[in-house]
């Protein structure tokens, strides 16, 4: 199973470590030639700064290619900034990046004081999982997507067909269950 991990900025190394710990093979995506002609089983768009990752995707001419993978059904997992990049719209920002997922994201949604925090909360079918939020977004509303987790009344994880997003960073904990959930999404693709 080959997972392409977008390595332009942000918390990508932790995703790679976790995926490899679970037996997946990973490939770092840093430039267009890393994706041209490659058949990925899955893609990860990590947390970081969505404005920076979005700008680099455009500058490196990879935005359309990544969107193309997602539109043809390649499973994708976006964490935090990755969630923002996948969202169809951003409530408090006029940008739209990949725009493939029918959710409205809200950037830096917890404000300054609650910018970063850790909690434990239920996630679809997994029971309680540890969640690390870093200047996180949340999801204001979902269209076609299914809600997977709600923390303090805010939607923090969702899925729409081949797209999975979390507002938190599962790769920054020792708990591998969310990554396993993603790998199962890939395995059940048939
Ligand atoms: N605040 C960042 C943004 O708006 C997201 C933070 C993160 O990915 N941890 O893109």
């Amino acid at each position: 199973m080959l997972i392409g991990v977008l390595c332009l900025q942000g918390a990508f190394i932790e995703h790679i470590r976790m995926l490899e710990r679970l037996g997946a093979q990973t490939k770092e995506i840093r430039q267009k030639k890393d994706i041209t002609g490659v058949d990925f089983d899955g893609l990860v768009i990590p947390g970081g700064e969505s404005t920076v990752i979005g700008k680099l995707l455009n500058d490196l001419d990879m935005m359309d290619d990544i969107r193309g993978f997602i539109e043809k059904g390649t499973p994708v997992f976006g964490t935090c900034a990755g969630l923002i990049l996948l969202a169809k719209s951003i409530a408090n920002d006029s940008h739209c990046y990949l725009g493939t997922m029918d959710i409205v994201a809200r950037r830096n949604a917890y404000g300054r004081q609650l910018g970063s925090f850790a909690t434990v909360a239920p996630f679809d079918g997994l029971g309680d999982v540890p969640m690390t939020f870093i200047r996180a977004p949340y999801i204001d509303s979902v269209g076609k997507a299914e809600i997977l987790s709600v923390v303090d009344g805010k939607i923090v994880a969702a899925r729409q067909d081949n797209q999975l997003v979390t507002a938190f960073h599962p790769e920054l904990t020792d708990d591998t269950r969310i990554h396993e959930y993603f790998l199962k999404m890939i395995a059940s693709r048939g």
Side-chain angles (χ1 to χ4, degrees):
M1 190 182 280
L2 179 65
I3 317 277
V5 180
L6 195 62
C7 295
L8 301 180
Q9 190 258 342
F12 51 83
I13 290 163
E14 294 82 356
H15 276 292
I16 291 173
R17 286 201 192 115
M18 195 161 261
L19 289 165
E20 295 199 336
R21 206 168 126 194
L22 294 171
Q25 196 193 335
T26 60
K27 180 176 164 86
E28 297 187 7
I29 300 174
R30 294 180 180 274
Q31 46 188 319
K32 198 176 171 84
K33 73 172 173 52
D34 298 327
I35 53 177
T36 307
V38 184
D39 199 9
F40 292 107
D41 296 299
L43 292 171
V44 169
I45 305 182
E49 217 28 69
S50 53
T51 49
V52 175
I53 301 174
K55 181 176 187 312
L56 287 169
L57 277 174
N58 279 322
D59 290 354
L60 296 165
D61 189 25
M62 292 203 287
M63 190 71 90
D64 290 344
D65 301 80
I66 300 282
R67 188 183 297 113
F69 280 117
I70 298 166
E71 283 174 348
K72 76 163 204 236
T74 304
V76 61
F77 179 20
T79 53
C80 205
L83 176 156
I84 297 167
L85 289 158
L86 288 164
K88 196 172 74 178
S89 69
I90 306 168
N92 52 348
D93 192 320
S94 58
H95 285 96
C96 175
Y97 300 97
L98 292 159
T100 49
M101 190 162 176
D102 195 6
I103 56 172
V104 179
R106 182 172 291 274
R107 286 189 68 200
N108 300 324
Y110 291 92
R112 279 185 157 204
Q113 274 189 325
L114 258 184
S116 302
F117 62 99
T119 189
V120 174
F123 183 99
D124 178 59
L126 300 182
D128 281 350
V129 297
M131 300 180 180
T132 304
F133 293 82
I134 304 172
R135 297 189 65 235
Y138 57 65
I139 300 172
D140 257 9
S141 61
V142 295
K144 291 191 199 87
E146 174 196 352
I147 296 169
L148 301 180
S149 182
V150 175
V151 171
D152 294 333
K154 310 296 184 200
I155 305 166
V156 298
R159 176 178 176 179
Q160 181 183 332
D161 304 318
N162 57 322
Q163 304 181 72
L164 172 69
V165 291
T166 61
F168 54 92
H169 289 263
E171 78 286 3
L172 298 183
T173 70
D174 272 342
D175 195 305
T176 55
R177 284 176 296 162
I178 307 264
H179 285 76
E180 287 170 51
Y181 186 99
F182 178 55
L183 295 182
K184 277 191 199 135
M185 265 171 69
I186 297 175
S188 65
R189 206 182 153 206

